[in-house]
Amino acid sequence: MSANALALHHGEPPQKSVLKSSLLGGALPEGTNQTRPAKILNFGGISSESIDALRAFFWGRLTVLDALDSGAYLNDLLNDPDSDRERSTVLEELFAPAIGQAYDLVLLWDFAGFFCEANLPWLDTWLDALVTRDGYVHGFLCHNSTRKIERKEWGIHSKSEFSCKPLEGFLAYQHLRNQFSRHIRSFVIEKSVLLKDGRLEVLLKRK
């Protein structure tokens, strides 16, 4: 049994891991090369570790949505034709910090894994509205449709490393690269790297 599995079994906090990223560094704005304050939108939460890592090289505005825990609920609202008013209220409250802004980098993390295939065009519409013309979207997909993907809490450890901690449960939906690309029509997967747990790390760029 792994150290994290033992920790969960005994009711202890699971250990954080640090993973190398081949794609994140190329998308992160660097203060030394910027002519204006850059903007990053984080769909996950934020830790002091991530803030400290960003301070080392990032100059600009960081917006935190903390939207991952709302993903499954949003998917249910999108599937319910009678939830228009409730859906509008939830979306307005959730995305309020980002509405009207255009970001150089969106850290999507596992957000797409909470949505069924029919709702991926909705995600494309939001990303299209939130990303600058030369901006990037970084996130994770599924590489193997028969493998369950464990939920994780993600952060930035350094310019080329993630921090992650396992959470209870699994992502509801597993989108393969080609399937995802058919529905996220405003973007192209510029690069991708397979991680050991079956996730596909992807970097999206506007078409």
Side-chain angles (χ1 to χ4, degrees), residues 17 21 50-51 60 95 98 119 133-134 153 162 165 188 190:
S17 301
S21 170
S50 295
I51 292 173
F95 284 93
N119 291 333
R133 174 55 53 187
D134 297 321
E153 177 183 286
F162 307 122
K165 183 175 70 175
V188 62
E190 185 175 75

Side-chain angles (χ1 to χ4, degrees), residues 31-51:
T32 55
N33 297 326
Q34 292 174 228
T35 57
R36 61 170 177 81
K39 295 180 182 179
I40 294 178
L41 177 63
N42 181 14
F43 268 67
I46 194 70
S47 65
S48 58
E49 178 189 24
S50 295
I51 292 173

Side-chain angles (χ1 to χ4, degrees), residues 19-30 40-42 50 53-54 57 104-109 136-140 154-163 191-193 195 201-204:
L19 302 178
K20 186 76 174 178
S21 170
S22 302
L23 305 182
L24 186 62
L28 285 167
E30 288 191 78
I40 294 178
L41 177 63
N42 181 14
S50 295
L54 285 169
F57 56 82
D104 301 283
L105 173 63
V106 172
L107 296 170
L108 195 62
W109 304 120
Y136 291 97
V137 178
H138 178 280
F140 301 112
W154 294 96
I156 298 174
H157 184 73
S158 72
K159 187 180 174 183
S160 60
E161 293 172 311
F162 307 122
S163 65
K191 298 177 183 177
S192 63
V193 175
L195 304 182
E201 181 188 0
V202 295
L203 190 63
L204 309 183

Side-chain angles (χ1 to χ4, degrees), residues 69-78 86 90 114:
D69 287 340
S70 302
Y73 181 49
L74 279 175
N75 187 66
D76 290 341
L77 290 177
L78 289 166
E86 182 179 2
V90 170
F114 292 100

Side-chain angles (χ1 to χ4, degrees), residues 135-187:
Y136 291 97
V137 178
H138 178 280
F140 301 112
L141 303 178
C142 173
H143 178 67
N144 187 337
S145 60
T146 64
R147 184 173 180 178
K148 289 187 176 181
I149 302 298
E150 183 183 38
R151 288 192 60 200
K152 290 186 178 180
E153 177 183 286
W154 294 96
I156 298 174
H157 184 73
S158 72
K159 187 180 174 183
S160 60
E161 293 172 311
F162 307 122
S163 65
C164 64
K165 183 175 70 175
L167 301 173
E168 290 187 9
F170 298 89
L171 296 176
Y173 300 97
Q174 302 177 28
H175 305 299
L176 299 179
R177 175 181 172 134
N178 290 340
Q179 174 194 26
F180 186 77
S181 295
R182 286 198 300 270
H183 298 288
I184 307 296
R185 296 183 177 180
S186 303
F187 299 84

